[in-house]
Amino acid sequence: MSGSLLLSMSIFALAASISPGPVNLVGLSSGTRYPLGKGLIFITGATLGFIALFLAVGLGLYSLMLQFPLLQEALGWAGVAFLLYLSLRLAMDSGQLPEEGDQLAPGFLTGILMQALNPKAWLAAASGIGVYTSGQSWEQLLVFAALYLPICWLSLASWVYAGAFLRRNIQKPRNLVRLNRFLAALLASTCVYLLWG
């Protein structure tokens, strides 16, 4: 595999991972509300969930879903419902920072589930595999996944760190409520796009 192909794959992975999407917004929100470690646990689940989805798509799952449109539609509706649930939780947040032991932060399994239901993740996996692998090469698929893993984790972690930076600079619950409602509106708007976009 050429160095230029590896660089191109890496740039694609960075652009797909760092651009705003549902997982990134939840990571940002996590960074504003919870200790840094909790946000990093969430994005670790999201990263591993994406890599599992990426490999499954590379092995033919996306083709299978195209053959069964009802399955694809059900996945879309489940994703929208889950994102709306997370938006509602965020919008109703009081702005009071939780105690250290509070377990309401999105966790590892939430990260995995979000990627399974995230249309952005499906699109990134399908388009990346379609463009950069021949469809028959296990080696290309595994190399691409190995490149994607650290790039995805670091990209998502940057959103959590951005949230932690905001947390240090937004101390008043009233300001945090405003930020959370703004993030909730953005997250809900992704649902509008998914339904009518």
Side-chain angles (χ1 to χ4, degrees):
M1 219 178 266
S2 71
S4 61
L5 178 61
L6 294 174
L7 178 61
S8 186
M9 285 177 167
S10 298
I11 291 169
F12 176 88
L14 178 63
S17 300
I18 206 162
S19 59
V23 173
N24 309 74
L25 292 175
V26 171
L28 180 66
S29 172
S30 230
T32 63
R33 298 220 7 92
Y34 303 102
L36 194 60
K38 289 190 183 271
L40 295 178
I41 289 169
F42 165 74
I43 62 109
T44 299
T47 299
L48 294 176
F50 176 77
I51 296 301
L53 173 67
F54 185 84
L55 292 171
V57 167
L59 296 173
L61 180 61
Y62 192 70
S63 299
L64 180 67
M65 290 193 64
L66 291 177
Q67 291 178 343
F68 298 99
L70 286 178
L71 182 59
Q72 192 173 3
E73 190 173 333
L75 179 68
W77 282 105
V80 166
F82 188 63
L83 293 177
L84 286 174
Y85 163 74
L86 291 175
S87 298
L88 186 62
R89 274 190 54 194
L90 194 53
M92 296 179 69
D93 184 72
S94 69
Q96 297 295 325
L97 295 176
E99 296 298 321
E100 191 70 27
D102 194 343
Q103 297 300 314
L104 295 177
F108 185 82
L109 292 177
T110 302
I112 291 173
L113 183 60
M114 277 197 78
Q115 291 293 36
L117 298 174
N118 182 0
K120 179 189 169 195
W122 283 85
L123 181 62
S127 59
I129 288 168
V131 170
Y132 293 104
T133 69
S134 66
Q136 302 297 320
S137 172
W138 281 82
E139 179 188 275
Q140 286 178 326
L141 181 64
L142 292 176
V143 167
F144 200 0
L147 286 171
Y148 229 123
L149 181 69
I151 292 170
C152 182
W153 192 90
L154 290 169
S155 297
L156 295 177
S158 71
W159 285 83
V160 175
Y161 278 100
F165 172 80
L166 288 173
R167 179 182 183 159
R168 285 192 301 274
N169 294 295
I170 300 176
Q171 294 295 327
K172 296 180 181 170
R174 178 183 63 222
N175 293 337
L176 196 53
V177 165
R178 287 181 186 144
L179 177 64
N180 284 340
R181 290 192 179 147
F182 174 71
L183 293 174
L186 286 177
L187 196 55
S189 71
T190 64
C191 296
V192 172
Y193 175 78
L194 292 172
L195 291 173
W196 291 286

